[in-house]
């Protein structure tokens, strides 16, 4: 098993010492789930009484609420997974163990091309695995594909709402403060339009656990420039709300 670099020591034995089912018992939870990175949107739903708390998942950070949302007569699980691949993948694992099976995530991302305006929708069809978590789930590879069924559900809803979108590759990184100039250039040549911190890890977990996963991103800060341009990307409440409801609808299509 030993390789030159530990991250490449993939173990194909699917049994782990701590299986999520040891800690989490399945409950009556909607199998369709929206993974929402927008805490502002979730907090607004909570304050307005539009979500019901199903259960708190506990980590050393504190309680992480898992909600139920009713939309058009159907129930959906909704939760924030935390930021960064290891935490988000762990939360994803635990919500799968609770009983959810069909996932759509919504989040923001840096963009690698100034032509992608703030708020423009990007639907990843594949992700570059520039993070560590996915290497513990599936054998090493440069990229991972996003579930076609999930992508099609998203496209159907975006088309229905006449919302313009770009299908693209995303760059999933572990190190937000090490998005270097040459790496941005390289990822551009590989076809990436977005950079975020979870997509390829989510895809690997979904693959491993045999659940459906796809993601809607909106264009945020610009990283393809001499001086970083934040473009006020995380204060776009209206855009974030809109993307969230599109994710809910896409999830209901699954
Ligand atoms: O807007 P959200 O989706 O929070 O996420 C993006 O921003 C975070 C980094 O600041 C990472 O989670 C990245 O994926
Ligand atoms: O991972 C991320 C997320 C947003 N913006 C970035 O530049 N990187």
């Amino acid at each position: 098993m030993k390789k030159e670099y530990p991250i490449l020591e993939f173990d194909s034995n699917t049994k782990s010492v701590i299986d999520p089912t040891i800690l989490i018992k399945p409950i009556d939870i909607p199998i369709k789930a929206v993974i929402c990175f927008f805490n502002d949107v979730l907090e607004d739903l909570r304050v307005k009484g539009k979500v019901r708390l199903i259960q708190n998942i506990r980590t050393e950070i504190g309680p992480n609420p898992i909600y139920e949302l009713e939309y058009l007569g159907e129930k959906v699980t909704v939760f924030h997974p935390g930021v960064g691949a290891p935490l988000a993948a762990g939360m994803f694992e635990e919500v799968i163990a609770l009983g959810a099976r069909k996932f759509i995530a919504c989040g923001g991302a840096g963009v690698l091309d100034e032509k992608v305006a703030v708020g423009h929708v990007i639907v990843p069809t594949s992700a570059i695995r520039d993070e560590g978590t996915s290497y513990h789930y599936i054998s090493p590879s440069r990229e991972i594909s996003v579930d076609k069924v999930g992508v099609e559900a998203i496209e159907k809803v975006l088309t229905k709402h006449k919302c313009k979108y770009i299908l693209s590759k995303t760059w999933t990184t572990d190190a937000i403060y090490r998005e270097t100039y040459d790496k941005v250039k390289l990822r551009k040549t590989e076809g990436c339009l977005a950079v975020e911190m979870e997509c390829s890890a989510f895809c690997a977990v979904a693959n491993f656990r045999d659940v459906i996963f796809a993601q809607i991103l909106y264009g945020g800060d610009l990283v393809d420039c001499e001086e970083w341009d934040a473009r006020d990307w995380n204060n776009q409440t209206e855009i974030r709300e809109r993307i969230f409801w599109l994710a809910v609808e896409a999830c209901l299509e699954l």
Side-chain angles (χ1 to χ4, degrees):
M1 164 166 295
K2 193 169 179 196
K3 298 270 189 317
E4 189 173 1
Y5 302 109
I7 198 66
L8 299 177
E9 289 162 356
F10 173 66
D11 188 348
S12 59
N13 182 349
T14 54
K15 209 164 158 39
S16 318
V17 178
I18 317 170
D19 191 84
T21 55
I22 297 176
L23 298 164
I24 308 273
K25 298 298 163 209
I27 55 169
D28 187 15
I29 184 175
I31 65 163
K32 297 178 182 184
V34 171
I35 302 174
C36 176
F37 281 97
F38 314 140
N39 206 35
D40 46 350
V41 175
L42 290 181
E43 194 46 21
D44 185 59
L45 289 170
R46 186 191 67 78
V47 169
K48 291 181 175 153
K50 291 188 178 159
V51 285
R52 182 180 75 80
L53 179 69
I54 301 177
Q55 186 170 312
N56 274 314
I57 285 183
R58 289 187 185 275
T59 71
E60 288 283 39
I61 303 171
N64 193 328
I66 310 298
Y67 296 115
E68 180 185 277
L69 169 75
E70 214 175 305
Y71 183 71
L72 303 174
E74 276 202 69
K75 289 183 171 145
V76 190
T77 299
V78 177
F79 67 101
H80 194 301
V83 171
L87 177 58
M91 288 291 300
F92 188 26
E93 281 271 32
E94 298 197 6
V95 178
I96 294 169
L98 284 175
R101 290 287 171 274
K102 299 173 174 192
F103 295 83
I104 298 291
C106 55
V111 302
L112 280 69
D113 189 328
E114 64 181 355
K115 288 190 200 94
V116 184
V118 176
H120 201 94
V121 172
I122 301 168
V123 182
T125 50
S126 62
I128 292 202
R129 297 171 61 188
D130 198 5
E131 41 69 42
T133 307
S134 67
Y135 292 81
H136 300 273
Y137 285 87
I138 57 164
S139 56
S141 63
R142 196 161 182 87
E143 294 176 17
I144 185 166
S145 303
V146 182
D147 195 313
K148 275 205 175 71
V149 173
V151 172
E152 278 167 17
I154 293 171
E155 287 197 80
K156 188 172 169 187
V157 167
L158 295 176
T159 307
K160 182 179 145 196
H161 287 278
K162 298 190 170 51
C163 175
K164 283 191 188 156
Y165 63 95
I166 310 168
L167 293 174
S168 180
K169 196 179 289 181
T170 180
W171 165 22
T172 308
T173 179
D174 266 343
I176 191 163
Y177 296 122
R178 289 298 296 147
E179 292 167 6
T180 60
Y181 296 94
D182 282 347
K183 279 204 183 162
V184 168
K185 250 190 233 155
L186 175 61
R187 298 292 176 252
K188 276 188 84 163
T189 63
E190 293 182 87
C192 294
L193 269 189
V195 54
E196 40 64 48
M197 301 180 72
E198 301 86 9
C199 188
S200 58
F202 280 145
C203 292
V205 175
N207 212 303
F208 184 78
R209 297 285 175 205
D210 199 20
V211 299
I212 299 175
F213 170 83
Q215 185 156 13
I216 306 178
L217 297 170
Y218 76 87
D221 57 305
L222 175 66
V223 297
D224 183 32
C225 43
E226 254 325 290
E227 206 175 309
W228 178 58
D229 188 354
R231 305 201 299 182
D232 203 23
W233 76 280
N234 45 6
N235 289 318
Q236 308 289 336
T237 309
E238 251 176 62
I239 290 170
R240 290 152 82 89
E241 274 174 1
R242 183 151 169 264
I243 306 273
F244 171 76
W245 290 109
L246 290 167
V248 171
E249 277 194 41
C251 193
L252 291 176
E253 288 289 335
L254 294 172

